[in-house]
Structures are given as C-alpha cells and as structure tokens.
C-alpha cells in the first residue's frame, strides 16, 4: 500500500518543462522552422542590394548596412509576432478539441502548470528562432561590414590626404560607420523583440482560455497588438485633454485600458536601433519589467478563467 | 486500517447550460455509489445517459453542480486525487506528432516518473497492450484500435490502483476487444480496481463484479452482477448427444412434477462474438481463454 503523505505541489518546474518541451517538439514537428528558409532567402536577396556610389563614401556604407538590416529585422519581428499569436491561439483549443486535455489533466497536473508549460513552449520556440536568425544577421552584417570598411578606409585615407578631412574626422566617421554593424545595441534590440512577443503570446493565451475558436483568438490578439502600438499616445492625450488626471476614476480607467491593450511604445526603440541609434542601456530593464508584469498578469487571469473551465 | 473505497460518488448532480445559456441539461441526477478496492465495476446505459459525465466528474474534469466524488478518499476537485488513477477517455486522441513510445513516456513524466523506472515501465505497458511493433511510429498513423490501446498504456503508466475506462473496446475489432477484456481480467486478478462503461453487454457480463444501470442521469439499478442477471426460478441443463426420445422423456418427467413448467428446449446459442473469433482466429495459434459453454451436436454433423 502506498501511503501518500506526499502532496502534489501546485506548481512544479519539472512538470512545466515537460509540457513546454512537448509543446516545443509539437511546433517543431509542425515545421514552423521552414520560416527560417524565408529569412535566409531575404538575407540573400538583400545582399544583392547595392547603392549607386553617387553619395559621398561616408554615408554610403551606413545606408547600405541599414538597407541590409531593415528587411531582415522586419522578417524576424514578423516571425516572432505571428508565432506568438498563432501558435498560442492554436495550442489550447486543439488540445480541447482533440480531447488530449482529458488525458493530461487526469494525470496529477495542476491547470496552472499546463498553462505555463504551453506558454513557455511557445516562448522557447520563439527564442530559439530569434537566436538562430540573430546569429545569421550578425554574420551577414559582419562580413558586409568588412568589405565596406575596406573601401571606406581607402576613400577616407584619400580624403585625409587631400586634406578635406582631418584625422579626427576619420576617427569619427569610422566610429559612426561601425555603429551600424554588429553592436550590443543590436543584440539588445533582438531581445526586445522577444520580450514584445512574450507579452503578445501571454495575451493570446488569455484570449484562448475564454474564446471558443482559434480564429477569434487570432483576430482579437492581433487587434490588441495593433491598438497597443498607439494606445499610449491616445491615453496621454485623453488624460491631458480631460484635465482630470487627478480624478481617481479616470486614472484607474486609463490603467485598465493599459492592461487590456499593452503599451508597446517603449519597444519602438528597436526601429531606432535599425537606424543606427544606440539602445538606451536602462531601457532593457524597463522592458524586462514591463514584459514580466504583463505576462504575469495575463497568466494569472488565464489561470483564473481556465481553472473553472468545463472541458 | 479500514478500507477506503476506491471510488465514492455521493448524490452527484451535473447540469450543463444549453447553448447561449438557454435551458439546462441535467446530465447526471443524484447518482450515488461506491466501488470497493479490487472490484471491477461496470456502468451501463443508453447513449447520453450520463456515463462519461459521471467519469469526468470523478476525475475533476467537470465541476459537479452538487454532490461529491472521491478517489481513495481524496476529493476529486483536488489534484492529489489524480495520483492513483488512470483514465482512458472515449475515442481517445493523442498528440499526433509523438510516437507510441514517446506518448507513454510523456504521460509517465507527467506523473513524476523518470530514468530507469520510466524506461522499464514503458516497456511493460507497451508489452501489455501489444504495441511493441508500432512503438516508433507516429500516432498520426495509428488505427483507431491502436489509439485505444495506446490510451490504455498511457492510463496504466504510473501503475495506478484505479483504472477508469470509458468504452475501452469502442472501435476495436473482436480480437483486440477480447485482448482488452483479458487484460482487464488480468488486472482484476492482480488486485486493481477498474471502473468501466461499455455498450458491449456480453463483455460487461464477463468481467464485472458489479454493475450499475444509468438512465437519463439516474442510477436505476445497481448491484452484484450475479444477483442482477440470474433468473432465480429457472434452471438450465446442457446435454451432449441427446436423442429426441431422451428429450421427450425429460419433458414428460418435468411436466408430471407439481408446479414445474418446461420452458424451452433447443441448441444453446453461441454469441456472435465467439462465432466471429472461432472463424477468424487460427484455432491452433492461440488457445481460447473464453469460458467454453458450447454443446456441439451440430459440429459432428
Ligand atoms: N459539455 C457539455 N455541454 C452540454 N451538454 C453536455 C456536455 N457534455 C455532455 N452533455 C450532455 O449530457 C448528457 C450526458 O452525456 P454523456 O456524455 O455523459 O453521455 P454518455 O452516457 O457517456 O453517452 P454515450 O454512451 O453516447 O457516450 C447528454 O445529454 C449530453 O448532451
Ligand atoms: Mg460516453
């Protein structure tokens, strides 16, 4: 006779990882990584883009690198967002429909573990995908930078020789050019994309716990994402206009809106990094906190709904 | 230690809301019964009578509207109650992307098993359900009967003391169906508790100690199978090579007795299942475990 003094803990990291691992393999075997082929094709295509050398050498290099980065990072962002919404929206309704959920939840698996496991599986997949693409992007940028740097140095040396440029100009120009290459800011921007995807995935998870169809979840989550792109501005405007910023109701209402439509404005920093701006070092902390908070809130709400769900 | 019942269901009521909140469907209406450890219990009833809903409530998959369910004394609404139970849902369906072996391992891991223990147990259950040959194939390519069997393997993986089987033989061919029946009998011998429901009454009759009959959510009859099906005031005599004159003599003997009525005479019928098995399974390849109840005048002719 087994004397069960042992309690099943409400949350077990091991079980979460088992479910996450299963979700990851599931998505892998759904061949989502064919998306990487699209990325590779874009990477190859943009490599053929060459600007006519009409402008001065000092701006050509930067422009070329930007034209390289912009579409590649665009594809990466697309990959992360689409996967965050669609994969998450697909997973739970499918388990429900196929009644796989019966067999999983009839094992000693708390529903919270199941939810976190599913979300984590999607996030791991996005993270792996983004990492692979970042490595590719870095490699392409690096080699392109080498060739650009070579011709740039020649041109700059010439300018210095002709005394159009001082030595300081050359150092400054070189620094400026290098800031368009493989930088820490770029890596930080890639991480910011991941964090943004994490928020959206958690939102899609929440929607999928009460929606009855995948399509509904996809549409609602996408809508929230797009609204979240500019909701912050609208809210600030509203607060300023109504001049009731100290009125508690308005403040609370505006905060509620932010829960439903996450404010994605800080994530716009990614676009600035593409343009060659440095990634503000303190921003990464802000983004981490914001992503953690949103994901946490959505998870708790999902759990709330899901634990009472009739399956 | 007084034995806690393996299953306790008391005054279970489950209402479902109709679509768009219109109307209420009462799927289970005040069902009460217990299953003692080591018993095989069969729940039978027409389609939509609430069998699956009762099982789901017992597993905490649906919340009872009122009433209580417990497994080995642990409340079904708690995760803990699910440690010692395996469930095979009706028409089970698993992750298509996993192979049979991966499926069993996945569910084993969910039960907290790992390492050598899990490997050993995976072998055992795959043997038990006879799926060793297909273990590396993805479930996407499994037939319905194979899915049913991997479902059984999954349910048994953590070696639970209680198995809940919702129509374990639905969609399985007669041979596989008989294997599942034999498996249940083996489990019973080893002291497992089984709670099953099925539409195959012959099988229920063969394996169950006790049965409950549920109709429109109400448990209308419940008790030991022997008590339920025996017709107390009748007696059956089976003869081999009886001549018509002997039968005539017996008939006369019976009718001369005070208060005795001769009800009928004829060849005992074999069941359709047995006939199918006799015709399809190679007689020499396997011995028949089924109880032999055949009188065989006709086989000589
Ligand atoms: N999720 C649900 N929502 C609404 N009604 C439901 C739900 N699940 C079951 N029902 C209803 O509850 C009743 C009992 O269903 P249940 O599945 O328990 O029957 P069953 O005895 O298992 O039937 P079967 O032999 O066909 O498997 C049916 O009338 C069914 O329509
Ligand atoms: Mg049923």
């Amino acid at each position: 006779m087994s004397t069960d003094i042992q309690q099943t803990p409400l949350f077990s990291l091991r079980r979460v990882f088992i479910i996450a691992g299963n979700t990851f393999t599931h998505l892998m075997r759904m061949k989502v990584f064919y998306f990487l082929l699209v990325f590779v094709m874009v990477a190859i295509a943009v490599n053929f883009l060459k600007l006519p050398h009409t402008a001065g050498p000092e701006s050509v290099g930067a422009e070329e690198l930007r034209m390289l980065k912009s579409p590649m990072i665009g594809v990466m962002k697309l990959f992360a967002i689409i996967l965050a919404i669609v994969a998450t929206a697909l997973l739970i309704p499918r388990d429900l429909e196929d009644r796989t959920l019966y067999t999983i939840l009839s094992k000693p698996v708390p529903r919270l573990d199941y939810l976190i496991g599913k979300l984590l599986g999607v996030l791991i997949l996005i993270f792996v995908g983004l990492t692979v693409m970042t490595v590719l992007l870095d490699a392409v940028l690096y080699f392109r930078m080498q060739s650009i740097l070579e011709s740039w140095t020649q041109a700059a040396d010439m300018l210095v020789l002709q005394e159009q440029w001082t030595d300081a100009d050359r150092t400054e120009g070189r620094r400026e050019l290098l800031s368009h290459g493989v930088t820490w800011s770029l890596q930080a921007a890639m991480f910011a994309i991941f964090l943004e995807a994490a928020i959206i995935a958690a939102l899609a998870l929440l929607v999928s716990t009460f929606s009855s169809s995948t399509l509904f979840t996809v549409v609602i989550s996408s809508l929230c994402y797009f609204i979240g792109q500019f909701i912050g501005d609208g809210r600030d405007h509203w607060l300023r206009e109504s001049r009731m910023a100290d009125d508690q109701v308005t403040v609370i209402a505006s905060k509620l809106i932010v829960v439903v439509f996450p404010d994605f404005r800080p994530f716009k920093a990614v676009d600035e990094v593409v343009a060659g701006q440095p990634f503000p070092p303190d921003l990464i902390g802000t983004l981490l906190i914001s992503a953690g908070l949103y994901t946490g809130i959505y998870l708790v709400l999902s759990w709330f709904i899901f634990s009472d769900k009739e399956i | 230690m007084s034995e806690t019942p393996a299953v306790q269901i008391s005054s279970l009521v489950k209402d479902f809301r109709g679509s768009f909140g219109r109307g209420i469907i009462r799927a289970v209406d005040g069902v009460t019964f217990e299953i003692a450890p080591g018993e095989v219990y069969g729940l039978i009833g027409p389609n939509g009578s609430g069998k699956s809903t009762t099982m789901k409530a017992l597993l905490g998959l649906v919340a009872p509207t009122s009433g209580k369910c417990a497994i080995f004394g642990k409340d079904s609404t708690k995760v803990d109650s699910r440690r010692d139970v395996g469930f095979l849902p009706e028409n089970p369906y698993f992750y298509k992307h996993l192979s049979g072996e991966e499926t069993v391992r996945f569910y084993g891991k969910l039960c907290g098993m790992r390492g050598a223990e899990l490997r050993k147990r995976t072998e055992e259950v795959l043997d038990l359900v006879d799926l060793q040959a297909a273990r590396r194939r993805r479930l996407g390519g499994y037939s319905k009967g194979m899915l049913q069997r991997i479902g059984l393997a999954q349910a048994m993986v953590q070696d639970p003391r209680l198995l809940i089987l919702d129509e374990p033989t639905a969609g399985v061919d007669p041979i596989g169906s008989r294997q599942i029946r034999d498996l249940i009998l083996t489990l019973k011998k080893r002291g497992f508790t089984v709670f099953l429901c099925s539409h195959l009454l012959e099988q229920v009759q063969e394996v169950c100690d006790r049965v409950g009959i549920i109709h429109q959510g109400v448990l209308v009859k419940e008790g030991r199978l022997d008590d339920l099906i025996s017709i107390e005031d009748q007696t059956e005599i089976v003869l081999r090579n009886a001549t018509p004159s002997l039968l005539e003599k017996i008939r006369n003997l019976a009718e001369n007795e005070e208060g005795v009525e001769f009800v009928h005479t004829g060849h005992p019928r074999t069941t359709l299942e047995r006939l199918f098995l006799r015709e399809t399974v190679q007689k020499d390849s396997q011995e028949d475990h089924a109880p032999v109840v055949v009188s065989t005048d006709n086989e000589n002719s």
Side-chain angles (χ1 to χ4, degrees), chain A residues 1-2 4 6-10 14-15 18-19 22-23 25-27 29 31 94-95 98-111 114 118 309-311, chain B residues 1 14 16 56 59-63 74 79-80 82-85 87 89-91 93-95 97-98 102 106-107 109-114 138 154-155 157-158 161:
Chain A
M1 285 271 95
S2 60
D4 270 350
Q6 220 181 333
Q7 290 268 311
T8 312
L10 181 64
R14 211 175 85 84
R15 219 166 16 220
I18 292 162
I19 296 170
N22 177 266
T23 309
T25 12
H26 191 181
L27 292 168
R29 292 184 184 175
K31 313 246 171 16
R94 182 176 264 210
D95 276 6
D98 295 351
R99 277 166 295 186
T100 324
L101 207 50
Y102 288 171
T103 44
I104 292 177
L105 293 183
S106 63
K107 297 291 179 198
V109 177
R111 294 188 179 196
Y114 171 78
K118 284 281 154 185
K309 200 172 169 82
E310 304 264 303
I311 56 173
Chain B
M1 191 174 99
K14 178 65 200 174
F16 285 111
K56 281 185 218 160
L59 285 154
L61 295 172
V62 298
K74 289 179 191 153
V79 175
D80 254 349
R82 262 150 263 157
R83 297 173 70 91
D84 231 351
V85 60
F87 177 47
E90 56 188 332
N91 306 316
Y93 198 89
F94 301 97
Y95 287 123
H97 66 280
L98 295 179
E102 286 169 329
F106 172 62
Y107 286 99
K109 284 187 209 157
L110 286 183
C111 297
M113 301 167 81
R114 61 172 100 188
R138 297 255 176 105
Q154 159 280 127
V157 68
Q158 87 272 35
R161 284 185 289 161

Side-chain angles (χ1 to χ4, degrees), chain A residues 32-44 75 133 136:
Chain A
V32 283
F33 274 147
Y34 274 123
F35 198 91
L36 289 180
L37 283 181
V38 175
F39 182 72
V40 170
M41 262 144 55
V42 170
I44 294 170
V75 172
M133 289 195 267
L136 270 168

Side-chain angles (χ1 to χ4, degrees), chain A:
Chain A
M1 285 271 95
S2 60
T3 43
D4 270 350
I5 321 153
Q6 220 181 333
Q7 290 268 311
T8 312
L10 181 64
F11 172 82
S12 134
L13 206 59
R14 211 175 85 84
R15 219 166 16 220
V16 166
F17 271 104
I18 292 162
I19 296 170
N22 177 266
T23 309
F24 180 76
T25 12
H26 191 181
L27 292 168
M28 284 284 279
R29 292 184 184 175
M30 278 163 92
K31 313 246 171 16
V32 283
F33 274 147
Y34 274 123
F35 198 91
L36 289 180
L37 283 181
V38 175
F39 182 72
V40 170
M41 262 144 55
V42 170
I44 294 170
V46 291
N47 255 304
F48 287 110
L49 289 177
K50 277 236 159 61
L51 284 182
H53 280 253
T54 47
E58 64 279 4
S59 60
V60 162
E63 196 54 41
E64 255 184 53
L65 289 170
R66 201 174 314 156
M67 289 189 55
L68 196 69
K69 274 187 286 186
S70 183
M72 285 175 83
I73 292 177
V75 172
M76 290 169 77
K77 205 164 166 179
L78 203 66
F79 164 85
I81 305 295
I82 290 183
L83 212 62
I85 294 180
V86 178
T88 315
L90 208 70
L91 287 173
I92 292 181
R94 182 176 264 210
D95 276 6
L96 260 171
E97 257 166 47
D98 295 351
R99 277 166 295 186
T100 324
L101 207 50
Y102 288 171
T103 44
I104 292 177
L105 293 183
S106 63
K107 297 291 179 198
V109 177
R111 294 188 179 196
L112 179 64
D113 284 15
Y114 171 78
L115 283 180
I116 300 178
K118 284 281 154 185
L119 182 64
L120 195 65
V122 175
L123 293 188
I124 294 175
L125 185 87
I126 294 176
F127 192 82
V128 170
L130 280 179
T131 306
V132 171
M133 289 195 267
T134 305
V135 169
L136 270 168
L137 174 72
D138 285 349
V140 169
L141 265 183
Y142 177 79
F143 288 113
R144 195 65 183 268
M145 180 62 103
Q146 293 310 304
S147 70
I148 287 175
L149 209 55
E150 206 172 295
S151 53
W152 183 87
T153 313
Q154 275 177 8
D157 285 351
M158 192 67 81
L159 284 173
V160 172
L161 219 61
Q162 291 165 357
E163 295 189 343
Q164 290 183 23
W165 269 16
T166 63
D167 266 346
D169 283 339
R170 181 167 59 182
T171 320
E172 172 59 24
R174 189 182 163 85
R175 201 195 55 73
E176 156 75 15
L177 181 60
L178 283 178
S179 75
H180 289 278
V182 183
T183 58
W184 283 113
S185 280
L186 189 66
Q187 318 306 309
M190 298 301 103
F191 189 61
I193 292 181
F194 170 73
L195 292 180
E196 195 175 8
I199 298 180
I200 303 159
L203 179 66
L205 184 79
L206 172 60
V207 179
S208 77
T209 51
F210 60 80
S211 94
S212 48
S213 81
T214 305
L215 190 65
F216 178 81
T217 310
V218 170
V219 170
I220 294 294
S221 313
S222 313
L223 218 63
C224 286
Y225 175 62
F226 286 116
I227 292 174
Q229 296 296 317
F230 49 80
I231 190 72
D233 297 325
R235 184 174 61 106
D236 291 351
H237 181 70
W238 176 43
L239 282 179
R240 234 179 295 115
E241 281 295 290
S242 61
R243 300 223 180 111
M244 291 193 296
D246 43 15
D247 176 358
Q248 283 302 308
V249 180
T250 319
V251 172
I252 291 172
S254 74
K255 285 199 170 123
L256 264 180
I257 291 178
V258 173
V259 172
V260 180
F261 304 108
D263 189 352
F264 286 116
R265 278 181 307 172
F267 291 96
K268 295 236 166 77
V270 174
D271 304 333
E272 279 148 33
V273 172
V274 175
Q277 300 292 316
F279 196 91
D282 53 331
L283 184 61
I284 203 80
T286 316
L287 294 186
L288 257 175
I289 292 169
S290 142
L293 270 179
Y294 273 120
T295 315
I297 291 174
Y298 291 150
L299 254 177
V300 169
L301 288 177
S302 313
W303 181 37
F304 214 68
I305 299 172
F306 192 65
S307 56
D308 286 335
K309 200 172 169 82
E310 304 264 303
I311 56 173

